[in-house]
Structure formats: C-alpha cells, structure tokens
Amino acid sequence: MFGRKKDQAPAQQITPASPDQFARSKDPQTAKGVPTPSRKAQEEARKRPLVPNDRAAAKVAARDARRVEQARMRRALDTGEERFLPARDKGPQKRYARDYVDARFSLGEFVMFAALAIVLLTVLIPVRNADGSSNNSQLIVFGIFWAMVAFVAVDVLLMSRKLKRLMAAKFGSVDSGVIWYGAMRSMQFRRLRLPKPLVSRGEWPT
C-alpha cells in the first residue's frame, strides 16, 4: 500500500555526451547504425578544384589554356573550321559572303598598292620643273588615284547589292553586318585575307 508502485520505473541517470562521442556520431565511417551519407554529399566530398589555389600555378594554367585556344583559332583561320573561328567570322551567312567575295575579281584588292605607289611618286616627282614652272605630274597621279577610288566604290556598291540579293534568296533574310563584312573583305588583298580563301576565282557558292 505504502510501497512504490510497480509500474513506476526508477529515474534513469542521464549523463551528457562527451565532445569526442559527438564528433564520432557525425563521422559516417565510425560505427554501424549511423545513416549512410547521401549520394549528393559523397559527390561533393569527391570534388576537387580544377584550378589550384596557388596564384602562380593558376596563371600558368590560364596562359596554357589561352595558347591552346589561340592555336586552334589560327588553324581554323587556315582551314575554315567553323567551330574554332573567331566570333566575327562565324555563321553560314558569313561563310557564304566570304566564298562569294573570294570567287570574284575586286578592284578594291589593289587600292593598298595604288596608295603605296602614290606615296612613292609624290616623293620622286618634283613639285617644280628645272625652269621653275609648276610640275603638273603630281596632279595627274592624284587624279588617277582618285579615279580608281571612285571605280572601287562603284564596284563595292554593285557587289554588295548582288550579294544581298543572292543571300536573301538563299537564306530568306540577311543578318545585320554581313554585307558590310563582305564589302570590307573585297577591299583586302586576296592572299592577306583571313580566314583564308577556300574557293578559287570563278568558283561561286551555291
């Protein structure tokens, strides 16, 4: 009657866990019964930085990556490989414009040489004759040069209009800047063009 009830269990003594036990409970490798870490946690644990923390090593890695990319770009400028071309040369429309310009004969190819000849002639031709009269030879040379510039402008205009018409028929529309891209290429000497020409003269794109 006055004794302790049978269903009343004695109070259990609770002892605080030590820091070592707490640390072991968080380690998935310690003992059985501990939940296995998730797949995501395991993948994150296996990850390693691609670039080392050392700044010097990071600079070397970045420099090597730039060299590889530049080598690929130079090779693409020779072979026309689309994947590694610079952004300004990428795209089927720019490829078509390059092939069209490279297939034709353009007066603009020789403007650079004409300008160089003008500079040399202005140095070699005297301003005045031996008798002191004005020498009109320089005026004639400049007149020929400006006449050539006018012919080049007309040639580029006609070429641009035809290129635009052909590209509109092939692609449905012409991207912004493509006609200007072709016009500037037509004014470069053929052997100095980049990307290098992949078609011969008269080999028109289809």
Side-chain angles (χ1 to χ4, degrees):
M1 178 176 179
F2 298 100
R4 184 177 297 173
K5 294 182 179 180
K6 294 182 179 180
D7 57 348
Q8 184 178 356
Q12 297 179 355
Q13 186 177 1
I14 301 174
T15 58
S18 65
D20 293 341
Q21 293 174 344
F22 181 75
R24 286 196 299 269
S25 66
K26 288 185 175 291
D27 186 359
Q29 306 287 339
T30 51
K32 296 180 180 180
V34 180
T36 304
S38 64
R39 182 176 180 180
K40 182 178 180 182
Q42 293 178 4
E43 290 177 352
E44 290 180 354
R46 287 195 298 266
K47 286 182 179 179
R48 295 292 183 270
L50 297 177
V51 179
N53 294 327
D54 185 10
R55 288 189 175 183
K59 288 182 179 179
V60 172
R63 185 170 63 249
D64 292 342
R66 285 196 301 269
R67 287 177 178 174
V68 172
E69 185 65 24
Q70 290 172 357
R72 288 176 177 175
M73 189 176 297
R74 285 194 297 268
R75 186 168 60 251
L77 291 174
D78 291 336
T79 62
E81 189 176 358
E82 180 74 17
R83 184 172 48 170
F84 298 116
L85 283 175
R88 64 181 177 84
D89 299 310
K90 283 186 177 180
Q93 293 198 11
K94 289 185 176 179
R95 172 64 181 271
Y96 185 93
R98 288 197 303 271
D99 290 346
Y100 178 80
V101 170
D102 296 337
R104 73 189 300 271
F105 177 84
S106 302
L107 291 176
E109 297 179 42
F110 305 100
V111 169
M112 179 177 63
F113 300 102
L116 180 60
I118 290 296
V119 172
L120 293 177
L121 289 175
T122 54
V123 173
L124 298 175
I125 297 176
V127 179
R128 293 185 178 277
N129 298 321
D131 57 359
S133 60
S134 298
N135 190 347
N136 296 327
S137 299
Q138 287 191 354
L139 295 177
I140 295 173
V141 170
F142 277 110
I144 294 174
F145 175 75
W146 287 111
M148 183 177 179
V149 170
F151 282 117
V152 168
V154 173
D155 181 63
V156 171
L157 178 62
L158 295 177
M159 185 274 298
S160 300
R161 292 178 63 180
K162 186 174 182 179
L163 177 59
K164 186 175 182 178
R165 185 170 65 252
L166 292 173
M167 293 187 65
K170 180 176 178 63
F171 298 101
S173 62
V174 182
D175 294 342
S176 175
V178 175
I179 303 302
W180 179 257
Y181 174 83
M184 292 298 99
R185 186 175 178 87
S186 70
M187 298 184 67
Q188 298 173 358
F189 188 57
R190 181 182 173 86
R191 292 186 179 181
L192 300 180
R193 293 172 182 172
L194 289 175
K196 290 185 176 181
L198 300 178
V199 298
S200 303
R201 292 193 191 273
E203 189 179 349
W204 305 101
T206 56

